[in-house]
Amino acid sequence: ATPGRTGPVAGGGDCVRCFGSPRVLVEPDPAAGFAVMKMRNPPVNSLSLEFLTEMLISLEKLESDKAFHAIIITSDCPGIFSAGLDLKEMCGRDPTHYAEYWKAVQELWLRFYLSHLVVISAINGVSPAGGCLLALSSDYRVLADNPKYAIGLNETLLGIVAPFWFKDTLVNTVGHRVAERALQLGLLFPPAEALRVGMVDQVVPEDQVQSAARSVLAQWLAIPGHARQLTKTLMRKPTADRLLKERDADIQNFVRFISRDAIQKALRTYLEKLKQK
Amino acid sequence: ATPGRTGPVAGGGDCVRCFGSPRVLVEPDPAAGFAVMKMRNPPVNSLSLEFLTEMLISLEKLESDKAFHAIIITSDCPGIFSAGLDLKEMCGRDPTHYAEYWKAVQELWLRFYLSHLVVISAINGVSPAGGCLLALSSDYRVLADNPKYAIGLNETLLGIVAPFWFKDTLVNTVGHRVAERALQLGLLFPPAEALRVGMVDQVVPEDQVQSAARSVLAQWLAIPGHARQLTKTLMRKPTADRLLKERDADIQNFVRFISRDAIQKALRTYLEKLKQK
Amino acid sequence: ATPGRTGPVAGGGDCVRCFGSPRVLVEPDPAAGFAVMKMRNPPVNSLSLEFLTEMLISLEKLESDKAFHAIIITSDCPGIFSAGLDLKEMCGRDPTHYAEYWKAVQELWLRFYLSHLVVISAINGVSPAGGCLLALSSDYRVLADNPKYAIGLNETLLGIVAPFWFKDTLVNTVGHRVAERALQLGLLFPPAEALRVGMVDQVVPEDQVQSAARSVLAQWLAIPGHARQLTKTLMRKPTADRLLKERDADIQNFVRFISRDAIQKALRTYLEKLKQK
């Protein structure tokens, strides 16, 4: 039995019975059948290799424990859901590291997108690029109604291109035309627009994000689990299979692209600017 | 010449010149180029093997008679369009029967989805699961504005999974994201929501469903028939081909799934509950 | 250097420094990074073989000149964006001509749909059939708010069938269901409806079409060009590849179809009617 299942769970960050890891706080509520997974990789929940690995381990733990049928994923960093991929993992390292990193990014998507658990995103902050991908991998997205909390795959703004499986996930969510324009322009959608185009399913006042996610969850947990999981697979497996079929080629593409001098230089410049802020 | 073509046609159920079969009342209006196909398999138009067979025969008759370019499909059972597949055909029978039944269900979809006739659904009652599939196979859906007349593929609620071609038909109608959520949650959409997500094309007051369907039909019949048919094929054949390519495997999947002890038990329990109502 | 780059550019049709060809007036603004391509094949910008060829040459010129990152395509013929394919090219000619013509139509779509330039349509008139296809091949569509300026693939109304790649382009823009109904019925959408279903991105007062297109362009030009181009390819190449894979078969299909007596007769009748107007 996991520690989290041995007793009641507090609501806050100082929950003593919670399991998880330094960067991923898991607040289990096994009686209700779900756990809250709080991302705590300050300042902006960048998806570093270590952080990705901890998220995957936490997800696997919950998936292999029959008490859990769902997770709510949310952020413990004020104002940011996740800033997305960690540019530091892509800058000034060797090809082996880039390959290892990209494999972990793929794994995160594959595991969350296909998880047999219900995954609800309680999006309590901005979620660009990889942060948006994580949200899009959920079954349902609740976004806090704060004009600063924009969401989108804004890769082109940095001069890079979203991988095809980011694109596929977005197309599956908002359709081909909205995705085409959003990806070319690197659009970040504020809440009202995000709701209108279908990037999120619900926008609620900021202090109700967690409770709204819990309410929605009740509806999902009421569905016979086995049938729901098979249906999710039916919908998502063809998209996941596209990556699985060319996973290595996708890694090599990434390594080749990121190793270019022009890209390395652009990333260094960008990281310098971020430091100065 | 069919009997129905020899004289005027009454509007109601006591139409003496109508052809059809015990469970499928066909009211032809050859001068106008269409027939109304009324489903009359009380109490809920369950798609039994016999009923499916009669529907297919009626459709074929109309398709092979050049006087007809369109059909309106509607229900003669108050408050129900069709309750969908007949659980009695799937419970306590042998594998040969299950296979025969499933082949007829496939055939119904293939023939209606690809019919060269214009098919308009005048949905005058609730249409869950297979009833929804029938409606989705039409070219246009008019739904009566009654909050009880929900429509959707609610298979997961019964612990079963919509087959991939049900899913494909829904995705073609409402897009990937709406379909994904609707199928996982087994959502039944009341009229206003059904219209909003595109599950139906028009919602009208209950007493205007038939007349609205006839009005819409006029627009469809004004289009050069050959070009319209080829265009319909262009849009739908790739989806139908997916089933045609693995039709036998799909039958075997169904037989294997439905023969499971757990499923048989669940169906028996469900049928018992229905009887008690 | 092209003539257009040697000096300032006037806004109107009497621009002395503009390059282009008799039927395609190119007004370059290299300092701003774009050119306006004005279609001037009166009375209705029919896509004749000669006109198609001139459009392709103008596009290639702009694409090979690094000063240009975008074009705005618009009409110089009052009230008409483009009437679409030129029926005269399809009527009373020999198979070799039909084949040559169809290849040019394919080429127009392939080049505009995949152009590395940003392509904005400033739709200042009606755009049926091939005129609509041209607009759909852009990255963004601004439509003048005039109830006469309907847009759509209305091929079935003439008894012909939109080719699969017209269909694919429409599905990519408005989704499968809207495309299915629009193509079967040959729907022409007036501005408000065109906006609602996503056939165009913006509807503006008629005298603001050109300025609105310019405003939008600024947003597109602000995106790093290389990343934007790769993203466009990512979105569109699979659709273009479907035609590229069976380009010859598509030409043969067209030639076979258009050579039929019934089709030739229908086209002659239609052309006669047009003349009488």
Side-chain angles (χ1 to χ4, degrees):
Chain A
T2 56
R5 300 184 58 194
T6 59
V9 169
D14 53 6
C15 155
V16 290
R17 293 179 190 282
C18 298
F19 63 93
S21 56
R23 295 172 190 80
V24 181
L25 183 71
V26 176
E27 296 173 359
D29 187 344
F34 74 95
V36 177
M37 190 185 280
K38 277 194 179 163
M39 299 183 281
R40 185 188 269 181
N41 190 28
V44 295
N45 285 330
S46 283
L47 300 170
S48 67
L49 183 53
E50 247 177 332
F51 183 41
L52 287 178
T53 307
E54 290 181 17
M55 283 183 72
L56 284 165
I57 290 171
S58 292
L59 179 63
E60 280 178 39
K61 255 192 210 164
L62 291 165
E63 282 180 335
S64 61
D65 185 333
K66 287 185 178 174
F68 297 103
H69 306 293
I71 61 170
I72 292 173
I73 182 157
T74 194
S75 167
D76 200 54
C77 298
I80 297 237
F81 182 68
S82 162
L85 304 190
D86 190 341
L87 300 185
K88 290 194 295 295
E89 304 280 6
M90 309 188 206
C91 189
R93 312 292 293 262
D94 61 38
T96 312
H97 181 80
Y98 297 149
E100 188 190 7
Y101 181 59
W102 198 246
K103 197 170 182 184
V105 176
Q106 292 176 333
E107 193 68 17
L108 183 83
W109 177 69
L110 288 166
R111 296 301 298 264
F112 273 87
Y113 195 61
L114 295 178
S115 177
H116 72 259
L117 299 177
V118 176
V119 181
I120 310 280
S121 284
I123 311 170
N124 53 349
V126 67
S127 48
C132 174
L133 180 75
L134 182 62
L136 293 177
S137 307
S138 319
D139 293 299
Y140 194 88
R141 286 161 286 286
V142 181
L143 174 59
D145 193 6
N146 182 323
K148 289 184 197 156
Y149 296 175
I151 179 169
L153 295 175
N154 62 332
E155 277 78 355
T156 54
L157 296 186
L158 307 184
I160 58 178
V161 179
F164 74 86
W165 39 285
F166 283 50
K167 181 264 289 177
D168 289 344
T169 309
L170 185 62
V171 169
N172 285 353
T173 308
V174 299
H176 191 280
R177 171 58 191 156
V178 171
E180 184 182 78
R181 185 171 157 250
L183 284 172
Q184 282 203 64
L185 293 176
L187 293 182
L188 287 165
F189 295 89
E193 269 191 76
L195 184 64
R196 194 178 53 79
V197 301
M199 192 79 103
V200 301
D201 300 295
Q202 210 179 333
V203 170
V204 300
E206 190 156 2
D207 60 352
Q208 294 169 28
V209 177
Q210 309 301 333
S211 59
R214 278 171 168 79
S215 296
V216 161
L217 198 51
Q219 186 190 13
W220 288 77
L221 289 176
I223 309 300
H226 191 61
R228 191 198 52 73
Q229 288 162 22
L230 289 174
T231 302
K232 182 171 178 175
T233 303
L234 184 69
M235 290 301 300
R236 298 191 165 189
K237 192 145 184 307
T239 304
D241 281 348
R242 288 195 59 205
L243 176 57
L244 289 170
K245 233 178 54 187
E246 32 187 326
R247 197 165 177 179
D248 285 339
D250 184 62
I251 292 173
Q252 282 159 33
N253 272 343
F254 172 76
V255 173
R256 205 177 315 123
F257 177 78
I258 213 72
S259 303
R260 284 189 204 158
D261 286 346
I263 297 295
Q264 283 294 313
K265 197 181 153 189
L267 290 175
R268 270 196 308 272
T269 310
Y270 190 80
L271 283 168
E272 283 303 319
K273 254 200 284 183
L274 284 184
K275 263 187 214 164
Q276 286 163 13
K277 279 194 190 173
Chain B
T2 55
R5 301 185 56 191
T6 61
V9 169
D14 54 4
C15 154
V16 290
R17 293 180 189 279
C18 298
F19 64 92
S21 56
R23 295 173 190 80
V24 180
L25 184 71
V26 177
E27 295 174 358
D29 188 345
F34 75 94
V36 177
M37 191 187 277
K38 277 193 178 163
M39 298 183 282
R40 186 189 269 180
N41 190 28
V44 295
N45 284 332
S46 283
L47 301 169
S48 66
L49 182 53
E50 248 176 333
F51 183 42
L52 288 178
T53 308
E54 290 181 15
M55 284 182 73
L56 284 166
I57 290 172
S58 293
L59 179 64
E60 279 178 38
K61 257 192 211 165
L62 292 165
E63 283 179 336
S64 61
D65 185 334
K66 288 186 176 172
F68 295 103
H69 306 293
I71 60 169
I72 292 174
I73 182 159
T74 194
S75 167
D76 200 53
C77 298
I80 297 239
F81 182 69
S82 162
L85 304 190
D86 190 341
L87 300 186
K88 290 195 294 296
E89 303 282 6
M90 310 188 206
C91 189
R93 311 293 293 262
D94 61 38
T96 312
H97 181 80
Y98 297 148
E100 188 190 7
Y101 181 59
W102 198 245
K103 197 170 182 183
V105 175
Q106 292 176 334
E107 193 68 18
L108 183 83
W109 177 70
L110 287 167
R111 296 301 298 262
F112 273 86
Y113 194 61
L114 295 178
S115 177
H116 72 259
L117 300 177
V118 176
V119 182
I120 308 280
S121 284
I123 311 171
N124 52 350
V126 67
S127 49
C132 173
L133 180 74
L134 182 62
L136 293 177
S137 308
S138 320
D139 293 299
Y140 193 87
R141 287 161 285 287
V142 181
L143 174 58
D145 193 6
N146 181 324
K148 288 183 194 154
Y149 296 175
I151 181 169
L153 295 175
N154 62 331
E155 278 78 356
T156 54
L157 296 185
L158 309 183
I160 58 179
V161 179
F164 74 86
W165 38 286
F166 283 50
K167 180 264 290 177
D168 289 344
T169 310
L170 185 62
V171 169
N172 284 353
T173 310
V174 298
H176 192 280
R177 171 58 191 155
V178 171
E180 182 182 80
R181 183 168 159 252
L183 284 172
Q184 283 203 63
L185 292 176
L187 294 182
L188 287 164
F189 296 88
E193 269 190 78
L195 184 63
R196 194 178 52 79
V197 301
M199 191 78 103
V200 300
D201 299 294
Q202 208 178 335
V203 170
V204 300
E206 191 157 2
D207 60 353
Q208 294 168 27
V209 177
Q210 309 301 335
S211 59
R214 277 172 169 79
S215 297
V216 161
L217 199 50
Q219 187 189 13
W220 289 76
L221 289 175
I223 309 300
H226 191 61
R228 189 198 53 72
Q229 289 161 23
L230 290 174
T231 302
K232 182 171 178 176
T233 303
L234 185 70
M235 290 301 301
R236 297 191 166 189
K237 192 145 183 309
T239 305
D241 280 349
R242 288 196 58 203
L243 176 56
L244 288 170
K245 233 178 55 189
E246 34 187 325
R247 196 163 176 181
D248 285 339
D250 184 61
I251 292 173
Q252 283 159 32
N253 272 344
F254 173 75
V255 174
R256 203 178 315 122
F257 177 79
I258 212 70
S259 303
R260 283 189 204 158
D261 288 345
I263 298 295
Q264 283 294 312
K265 198 180 153 190
L267 290 175
R268 271 196 307 272
T269 310
Y270 190 78
L271 283 168
E272 284 302 319
K273 255 199 282 182
L274 284 185
K275 263 188 215 162
Q276 285 163 13
K277 279 194 189 173
Chain C
T2 56
R5 301 184 56 192
T6 60
V9 170
D14 52 5
C15 154
V16 290
R17 295 180 188 281
C18 298
F19 63 95
S21 55
R23 296 172 189 81
V24 180
L25 184 70
V26 177
E27 295 174 358
D29 187 345
F34 74 95
V36 177
M37 190 186 280
K38 277 193 179 163
M39 299 182 282
R40 185 188 270 181
N41 190 30
V44 295
N45 284 331
S46 284
L47 301 170
S48 67
L49 182 53
E50 247 176 333
F51 184 41
L52 287 179
T53 308
E54 290 181 16
M55 283 183 72
L56 284 165
I57 290 172
S58 292
L59 179 63
E60 280 177 39
K61 256 192 211 164
L62 291 165
E63 283 179 336
S64 62
D65 184 334
K66 287 186 176 172
F68 296 102
H69 306 294
I71 60 169
I72 293 175
I73 182 159
T74 194
S75 167
D76 201 52
C77 298
I80 296 237
F81 183 68
S82 162
L85 303 191
D86 190 340
L87 301 186
K88 289 194 295 296
E89 303 281 6
M90 310 187 205
C91 190
R93 310 293 293 263
D94 61 37
T96 312
H97 181 79
Y98 297 149
E100 189 190 5
Y101 181 58
W102 197 245
K103 197 170 181 182
V105 176
Q106 291 176 335
E107 193 66 18
L108 183 83
W109 176 69
L110 288 167
R111 296 301 298 264
F112 273 86
Y113 195 61
L114 295 179
S115 177
H116 73 259
L117 299 177
V118 176
V119 182
I120 309 280
S121 284
I123 310 170
N124 52 350
V126 66
S127 49
C132 174
L133 181 74
L134 181 62
L136 293 178
S137 307
S138 321
D139 293 300
Y140 194 87
R141 285 161 286 287
V142 181
L143 174 59
D145 193 6
N146 181 324
K148 289 185 196 154
Y149 296 175
I151 181 170
L153 295 175
N154 62 331
E155 278 78 355
T156 55
L157 297 185
L158 308 184
I160 58 178
V161 179
F164 75 86
W165 39 285
F166 282 51
K167 181 263 290 177
D168 289 344
T169 310
L170 184 62
V171 169
N172 285 353
T173 309
V174 299
H176 191 280
R177 170 58 190 156
V178 170
E180 183 181 80
R181 184 170 157 252
L183 284 172
Q184 283 203 63
L185 294 176
L187 293 182
L188 287 165
F189 296 88
E193 270 189 77
L195 184 64
R196 193 178 53 80
V197 302
M199 192 78 102
V200 301
D201 299 295
Q202 209 177 334
V203 171
V204 301
E206 192 158 1
D207 60 352
Q208 294 168 28
V209 177
Q210 309 301 335
S211 59
R214 278 170 167 79
S215 297
V216 161
L217 199 51
Q219 187 189 12
W220 288 77
L221 289 175
I223 309 299
H226 190 62
R228 191 198 53 73
Q229 289 162 22
L230 290 173
T231 302
K232 182 171 178 176
T233 303
L234 184 70
M235 290 301 300
R236 298 191 166 189
K237 192 144 183 308
T239 304
D241 281 346
R242 287 195 59 204
L243 176 57
L244 289 170
K245 234 179 55 188
E246 31 187 327
R247 198 165 175 181
D248 286 339
D250 184 61
I251 291 174
Q252 283 159 31
N253 272 343
F254 172 76
V255 174
R256 206 178 312 123
F257 177 79
I258 213 70
S259 304
R260 283 189 204 159
D261 287 345
I263 298 296
Q264 283 295 312
K265 198 181 152 188
L267 291 175
R268 271 195 307 272
T269 310
Y270 190 79
L271 284 168
E272 284 302 319
K273 254 198 285 182
L274 285 184
K275 264 187 215 164
Q276 286 164 12
K277 278 193 190 171

